[in-house]
Amino acid sequence: MIGQLLAKVIGTQNEREIKRLRPLVAEINALEPSIQPLTDAELRAKTGEFRQRVAAGATLADMLPEAFAVVREAGWRVLKMRHFDVQLMGGMILHSGRIAEMKTGEGKTLVATLPAYLNALSGKGAHLVTLHDYLARRDSDRLGRLYRFLGMAVGVFHTDLTGQPRQRALA
């Protein structure tokens, strides 16, 4: 009973987290009008710009709004899929190292493109793990188009991969 009363007064943990993320979502959305008019080449060039800024000391947290806005626009251009606000929040949660629970059909695969791109900007790479070989190949093919459009390399590791191809996929 006390827990229910507190939840009504201060909100549930989930509600407080959403409230905390909303300003970042608004910041990403506010960047959309400046990102949309960029040519494909200019949008692609953002990756090099971001990498330079990270190398100069910018944190990934500093880069998050603009990087997410770039991935959102590239997702629309390349995949004809636009990240919704709830997916931006899911990407922020994943970037922070936490688990984002989403229902079937809410776009978990698309959500992963946001923190994967952002974390790869450091030059250390980023790995997405899928325990199903078919899904790993499918997502590498489909979402790989988005990453390659933005100047990222993509590899896929599956159980029947051996030798040099296995080493390249893990690099």
Side-chain angles (χ1 to χ4, degrees):
M1 175 136 149
I2 292 176
Q4 290 174 335
L5 181 61
L6 280 174
K8 285 186 182 205
V9 174
I10 63 171
T12 64
Q13 182 178 357
N14 188 52
E15 291 166 340
R16 290 189 308 271
E17 182 66 10
I18 289 170
K19 186 177 179 179
R20 186 184 71 77
L21 296 175
R22 285 218 185 274
L24 276 172
V25 170
E27 191 175 342
I28 295 164
N29 288 338
L31 291 168
E32 197 164 23
S34 66
I35 299 292
Q36 283 179 332
L38 297 176
T39 66
D40 286 355
E42 290 169 329
L43 192 62
R44 248 184 240 105
K46 286 290 190 181
T47 299
E49 176 191 322
F50 294 157
R51 285 179 171 159
Q52 288 175 349
R53 287 168 47 190
V54 169
T59 67
L60 294 180
D62 295 335
M63 307 292 300
L64 188 145
E66 194 173 358
F68 276 30
V70 164
V71 173
R72 176 189 255 180
E73 180 61 24
W76 177 248
R77 290 185 192 188
V78 175
L79 305 172
K80 298 297 181 225
M81 298 172 77
R82 184 181 182 278
H83 298 79
F84 292 105
D85 290 354
V86 69
Q87 292 168 317
L88 297 174
M89 287 186 218
M92 290 179 227
I93 290 167
L94 292 176
H95 172 66
S96 71
R98 294 176 293 149
I99 295 170
E101 182 179 356
M102 299 179 77
K103 295 178 182 174
T104 299
E106 286 188 321
K108 293 180 284 293
T109 304
L110 190 61
V111 167
T113 61
L114 298 158
Y117 174 77
L118 177 63
N119 284 278
L121 293 173
S122 68
K124 298 176 186 173
H127 296 84
L128 296 176
V129 177
T130 299
L131 299 178
H132 191 286
D133 279 354
Y134 164 77
L135 294 175
R137 286 184 180 117
R138 180 201 73 184
D139 293 346
S140 174
D141 290 341
R142 186 169 49 171
L143 299 178
R145 294 180 11 235
L146 169 66
Y147 298 123
R148 284 187 287 277
F149 175 84
L150 290 171
M152 300 284 179
V154 177
V156 63
F157 177 86
H158 45 85
T159 54
D160 58 343
L161 199 60
T162 60
Q164 280 295 86
R166 180 182 180 119
Q167 292 302 318
R168 280 193 305 274
L170 290 172

PDB file of all heavy atoms in Angstrom, residues 61-79:
ATOM      1  N   ALA A  61      28.900  10.275 -24.501  1.00  0.00           N
ATOM      2  CA  ALA A  61      27.682  10.915 -23.981  1.00  0.00           C
ATOM      3  C   ALA A  61      27.477  12.279 -24.635  1.00  0.00           C
ATOM      4  O   ALA A  61      26.350  12.659 -24.947  1.00  0.00           O
ATOM      5  CB  ALA A  61      27.765  11.049 -22.468  1.00  0.00           C
ATOM      6  N   ASP A  62      28.582  13.007 -24.864  1.00  0.00           N
ATOM      7  CA  ASP A  62      28.487  14.295 -25.554  1.00  0.00           C
ATOM      8  C   ASP A  62      27.976  14.116 -26.981  1.00  0.00           C
ATOM      9  O   ASP A  62      27.262  14.964 -27.501  1.00  0.00           O
ATOM     10  CB  ASP A  62      29.858  14.989 -25.643  1.00  0.00           C
ATOM     11  CG  ASP A  62      30.430  15.377 -24.300  1.00  0.00           C
ATOM     12  OD1 ASP A  62      29.657  15.569 -23.341  1.00  0.00           O
ATOM     13  OD2 ASP A  62      31.676  15.484 -24.205  1.00  0.00           O
ATOM     14  N   MET A  63      28.378  13.041 -27.600  1.00  0.00           N
ATOM     15  CA  MET A  63      28.075  12.780 -29.003  1.00  0.00           C
ATOM     16  C   MET A  63      26.687  12.158 -29.206  1.00  0.00           C
ATOM     17  O   MET A  63      26.179  12.167 -30.320  1.00  0.00           O
ATOM     18  CB  MET A  63      29.113  11.819 -29.589  1.00  0.00           C
ATOM     19  CG  MET A  63      30.555  12.226 -29.407  1.00  0.00           C
ATOM     20  SD  MET A  63      30.976  13.675 -30.338  1.00  0.00           S
ATOM     21  CE  MET A  63      30.631  13.094 -31.950  1.00  0.00           C
ATOM     22  N   LEU A  64      26.110  11.624 -28.153  1.00  0.00           N
ATOM     23  CA  LEU A  64      24.888  10.829 -28.286  1.00  0.00           C
ATOM     24  C   LEU A  64      23.780  11.518 -29.063  1.00  0.00           C
ATOM     25  O   LEU A  64      23.272  10.931 -30.035  1.00  0.00           O
ATOM     26  CB  LEU A  64      24.385  10.376 -26.908  1.00  0.00           C
ATOM     27  CG  LEU A  64      23.232   9.384 -26.940  1.00  0.00           C
ATOM     28  CD1 LEU A  64      23.351   8.405 -25.796  1.00  0.00           C
ATOM     29  CD2 LEU A  64      21.884  10.067 -26.901  1.00  0.00           C
ATOM     30  N   PRO A  65      23.348  12.722 -28.728  1.00  0.00           N
ATOM     31  CA  PRO A  65      22.216  13.285 -29.474  1.00  0.00           C
ATOM     32  C   PRO A  65      22.468  13.409 -30.978  1.00  0.00           C
ATOM     33  O   PRO A  65      21.634  12.998 -31.786  1.00  0.00           O
ATOM     34  CB  PRO A  65      22.010  14.665 -28.830  1.00  0.00           C
ATOM     35  CG  PRO A  65      22.584  14.524 -27.458  1.00  0.00           C
ATOM     36  CD  PRO A  65      23.753  13.594 -27.621  1.00  0.00           C
ATOM     37  N   GLU A  66      23.617  13.943 -31.343  1.00  0.00           N
ATOM     38  CA  GLU A  66      23.891  14.128 -32.771  1.00  0.00           C
ATOM     39  C   GLU A  66      24.101  12.793 -33.480  1.00  0.00           C
ATOM     40  O   GLU A  66      23.622  12.586 -34.599  1.00  0.00           O
ATOM     41  CB  GLU A  66      25.098  15.045 -32.974  1.00  0.00           C
ATOM     42  CG  GLU A  66      25.205  15.538 -34.383  1.00  0.00           C
ATOM     43  CD  GLU A  66      26.294  16.579 -34.572  1.00  0.00           C
ATOM     44  OE1 GLU A  66      26.963  16.961 -33.600  1.00  0.00           O
ATOM     45  OE2 GLU A  66      26.481  17.002 -35.730  1.00  0.00           O
ATOM     46  N   ALA A  67      24.811  11.871 -32.835  1.00  0.00           N
ATOM     47  CA  ALA A  67      25.035  10.556 -33.446  1.00  0.00           C
ATOM     48  C   ALA A  67      23.711   9.818 -33.636  1.00  0.00           C
ATOM     49  O   ALA A  67      23.473   9.220 -34.685  1.00  0.00           O
ATOM     50  CB  ALA A  67      25.996   9.729 -32.593  1.00  0.00           C
ATOM     51  N   PHE A  68      22.839   9.863 -32.644  1.00  0.00           N
ATOM     52  CA  PHE A  68      21.541   9.210 -32.773  1.00  0.00           C
ATOM     53  C   PHE A  68      20.726   9.866 -33.886  1.00  0.00           C
ATOM     54  O   PHE A  68      20.020   9.179 -34.630  1.00  0.00           O
ATOM     55  CB  PHE A  68      20.776   9.247 -31.452  1.00  0.00           C
ATOM     56  CG  PHE A  68      21.128   8.139 -30.482  1.00  0.00           C
ATOM     57  CD1 PHE A  68      22.395   7.566 -30.436  1.00  0.00           C
ATOM     58  CD2 PHE A  68      20.182   7.679 -29.591  1.00  0.00           C
ATOM     59  CE1 PHE A  68      22.695   6.551 -29.536  1.00  0.00           C
ATOM     60  CE2 PHE A  68      20.464   6.666 -28.686  1.00  0.00           C
ATOM     61  CZ  PHE A  68      21.722   6.097 -28.654  1.00  0.00           C
ATOM     62  N   ALA A  69      20.801  11.193 -34.011  1.00  0.00           N
ATOM     63  CA  ALA A  69      20.066  11.888 -35.077  1.00  0.00           C
ATOM     64  C   ALA A  69      20.577  11.463 -36.451  1.00  0.00           C
ATOM     65  O   ALA A  69      19.797  11.291 -37.385  1.00  0.00           O
ATOM     66  CB  ALA A  69      20.180  13.403 -34.897  1.00  0.00           C
ATOM     67  N   VAL A  70      21.885  11.270 -36.570  1.00  0.00           N
ATOM     68  CA  VAL A  70      22.476  10.830 -37.834  1.00  0.00           C
ATOM     69  C   VAL A  70      22.031   9.403 -38.154  1.00  0.00           C
ATOM     70  O   VAL A  70      21.661   9.097 -39.285  1.00  0.00           O
ATOM     71  CB  VAL A  70      24.013  10.963 -37.795  1.00  0.00           C
ATOM     72  CG1 VAL A  70      24.682  10.170 -38.912  1.00  0.00           C
ATOM     73  CG2 VAL A  70      24.411  12.432 -37.873  1.00  0.00           C
ATOM     74  N   VAL A  71      22.054   8.516 -37.172  1.00  0.00           N
ATOM     75  CA  VAL A  71      21.623   7.133 -37.399  1.00  0.00           C
ATOM     76  C   VAL A  71      20.139   7.104 -37.756  1.00  0.00           C
ATOM     77  O   VAL A  71      19.724   6.356 -38.647  1.00  0.00           O
ATOM     78  CB  VAL A  71      21.910   6.241 -36.175  1.00  0.00           C
ATOM     79  CG1 VAL A  71      21.302   4.849 -36.363  1.00  0.00           C
ATOM     80  CG2 VAL A  71      23.403   6.130 -35.936  1.00  0.00           C
ATOM     81  N   ARG A  72      19.350   7.926 -37.099  1.00  0.00           N
ATOM     82  CA  ARG A  72      17.917   7.974 -37.396  1.00  0.00           C
ATOM     83  C   ARG A  72      17.700   8.358 -38.865  1.00  0.00           C
ATOM     84  O   ARG A  72      16.936   7.723 -39.578  1.00  0.00           O
ATOM     85  CB  ARG A  72      17.209   8.979 -36.494  1.00  0.00           C
ATOM     86  CG  ARG A  72      15.738   9.138 -36.838  1.00  0.00           C
ATOM     87  CD  ARG A  72      15.124  10.274 -36.080  1.00  0.00           C
ATOM     88  NE  ARG A  72      14.295   9.741 -35.015  1.00  0.00           N
ATOM     89  CZ  ARG A  72      13.615  10.498 -34.172  1.00  0.00           C
ATOM     90  NH1 ARG A  72      13.677  11.805 -34.226  1.00  0.00           N
ATOM     91  NH2 ARG A  72      12.861   9.945 -33.249  1.00  0.00           N
ATOM     92  N   GLU A  73      18.398   9.385 -39.322  1.00  0.00           N
ATOM     93  CA  GLU A  73      18.238   9.833 -40.710  1.00  0.00           C
ATOM     94  C   GLU A  73      18.759   8.774 -41.681  1.00  0.00           C
ATOM     95  O   GLU A  73      18.131   8.482 -42.699  1.00  0.00           O
ATOM     96  CB  GLU A  73      18.959  11.167 -40.939  1.00  0.00           C
ATOM     97  CG  GLU A  73      18.853  11.696 -42.348  1.00  0.00           C
ATOM     98  CD  GLU A  73      17.437  11.977 -42.821  1.00  0.00           C
ATOM     99  OE1 GLU A  73      16.527  12.207 -41.987  1.00  0.00           O
ATOM    100  OE2 GLU A  73      17.212  11.962 -44.052  1.00  0.00           O
ATOM    101  N   ALA A  74      19.911   8.183 -41.374  1.00  0.00           N
ATOM    102  CA  ALA A  74      20.463   7.138 -42.241  1.00  0.00           C
ATOM    103  C   ALA A  74      19.531   5.930 -42.275  1.00  0.00           C
ATOM    104  O   ALA A  74      19.358   5.306 -43.326  1.00  0.00           O
ATOM    105  CB  ALA A  74      21.857   6.726 -41.756  1.00  0.00           C
ATOM    106  N   GLY A  75      18.919   5.600 -41.143  1.00  0.00           N
ATOM    107  CA  GLY A  75      17.966   4.497 -41.101  1.00  0.00           C
ATOM    108  C   GLY A  75      16.799   4.727 -42.041  1.00  0.00           C
ATOM    109  O   GLY A  75      16.342   3.810 -42.723  1.00  0.00           O
ATOM    110  N   TRP A  76      16.344   5.957 -42.104  1.00  0.00           N
ATOM    111  CA  TRP A  76      15.243   6.272 -43.009  1.00  0.00           C
ATOM    112  C   TRP A  76      15.696   6.186 -44.464  1.00  0.00           C
ATOM    113  O   TRP A  76      15.023   5.608 -45.308  1.00  0.00           O
ATOM    114  CB  TRP A  76      14.664   7.653 -42.704  1.00  0.00           C
ATOM    115  CG  TRP A  76      13.596   8.007 -43.675  1.00  0.00           C
ATOM    116  CD1 TRP A  76      13.627   8.982 -44.628  1.00  0.00           C
ATOM    117  CD2 TRP A  76      12.341   7.345 -43.851  1.00  0.00           C
ATOM    118  NE1 TRP A  76      12.476   8.972 -45.363  1.00  0.00           N
ATOM    119  CE2 TRP A  76      11.652   7.966 -44.911  1.00  0.00           C
ATOM    120  CE3 TRP A  76      11.730   6.271 -43.212  1.00  0.00           C
ATOM    121  CZ2 TRP A  76      10.399   7.569 -45.340  1.00  0.00           C
ATOM    122  CZ3 TRP A  76      10.472   5.867 -43.645  1.00  0.00           C
ATOM    123  CH2 TRP A  76       9.827   6.516 -44.693  1.00  0.00           C
ATOM    124  N   ARG A  77      16.866   6.755 -44.753  1.00  0.00           N
ATOM    125  CA  ARG A  77      17.338   6.774 -46.144  1.00  0.00           C
ATOM    126  C   ARG A  77      17.684   5.388 -46.663  1.00  0.00           C
ATOM    127  O   ARG A  77      17.397   5.059 -47.810  1.00  0.00           O
ATOM    128  CB  ARG A  77      18.578   7.664 -46.262  1.00  0.00           C
ATOM    129  CG  ARG A  77      18.280   9.123 -46.086  1.00  0.00           C
ATOM    130  CD  ARG A  77      19.495   9.964 -46.330  1.00  0.00           C
ATOM    131  NE  ARG A  77      19.263  11.331 -45.878  1.00  0.00           N
ATOM    132  CZ  ARG A  77      20.088  12.315 -46.096  1.00  0.00           C
ATOM    133  NH1 ARG A  77      21.227  12.122 -46.763  1.00  0.00           N
ATOM    134  NH2 ARG A  77      19.811  13.531 -45.659  1.00  0.00           N
ATOM    135  N   VAL A  78      18.313   4.594 -45.850  1.00  0.00           N
ATOM    136  CA  VAL A  78      18.838   3.309 -46.305  1.00  0.00           C
ATOM    137  C   VAL A  78      17.812   2.181 -46.140  1.00  0.00           C
ATOM    138  O   VAL A  78      17.661   1.347 -47.027  1.00  0.00           O
ATOM    139  CB  VAL A  78      20.137   2.953 -45.544  1.00  0.00           C
ATOM    140  CG1 VAL A  78      20.635   1.564 -45.903  1.00  0.00           C
ATOM    141  CG2 VAL A  78      21.206   3.997 -45.812  1.00  0.00           C
ATOM    142  N   LEU A  79      17.136   2.164 -45.018  1.00  0.00           N
ATOM    143  CA  LEU A  79      16.235   1.055 -44.709  1.00  0.00           C
ATOM    144  C   LEU A  79      14.758   1.405 -44.830  1.00  0.00           C
ATOM    145  O   LEU A  79      13.909   0.537 -44.705  1.00  0.00           O
ATOM    146  CB  LEU A  79      16.495   0.573 -43.268  1.00  0.00           C
ATOM    147  CG  LEU A  79      17.926   0.176 -42.927  1.00  0.00           C
ATOM    148  CD1 LEU A  79      18.053  -0.081 -41.434  1.00  0.00           C
ATOM    149  CD2 LEU A  79      18.356  -1.027 -43.736  1.00  0.00           C
TER     150      LEU A  79
END
